[in-house]
Amino acid sequence: MADNTTGKVVIKPADLRASAGIAKTLGEEFSAPIQNAVNTSATVSGQLTGWSIAGGLAQLGTGWSKPLGDLQQRLVNTATNLEANAAAHEHKDQAVAGAWAVAPQAAK
């Protein structure tokens, strides 16, 4: 996020972790509706055997299964990457703070 007073970009690990939590939750919550849609499509298709739309309904569920699963996995991957970025920023901040905390050596 940008700091409007200085124009600098400020990255807060807590914000990255909050975003990771949202992405993870969305990925987890998306699982049941995806499975339900695929199962419902197959069930309805089976109940309409002999109807001209039965095959189309079966294909609909099968066709959407992979793209929706890929979307769910992308949300999980996004959460993982945001967590890794938060950890990397914290590590960098600690390393920089530690470097400045060392007392300078006296000149000889």
Side-chain angles (χ1 to χ4, degrees), residues 66-106:
K66 181 169 176 13
L68 291 174
D70 290 349
L71 176 60
Q72 180 187 15
Q73 186 59 50
R74 187 169 182 179
L75 288 165
V76 170
N77 293 346
T78 297
T80 300
N81 292 337
L82 286 167
E83 278 289 341
N85 270 291
H89 279 286
E90 284 177 338
H91 177 74
K92 176 196 63 118
D93 289 347
Q94 290 170 356
V96 169
W100 285 102
V102 176
Q105 298 289 329

Side-chain angles (χ1 to χ4, degrees), residues 39-88:
N39 291 344
T40 299
S41 176
T43 300
V44 170
S45 172
Q47 292 173 344
L48 295 175
T49 302
W51 288 62
S52 62
I53 62 170
L57 286 170
Q59 287 178 342
L60 180 68
T62 304
W64 276 103
S65 180
K66 181 169 176 13
L68 291 174
D70 290 349
L71 176 60
Q72 180 187 15
Q73 186 59 50
R74 187 169 182 179
L75 288 165
V76 170
N77 293 346
T78 297
T80 300
N81 292 337
L82 286 167
E83 278 289 341
N85 270 291

Side-chain angles (χ1 to χ4, degrees), residues 2-10:
D3 179 347
N4 292 331
T5 58
T6 64
K8 295 180 182 179
V9 174
V10 178

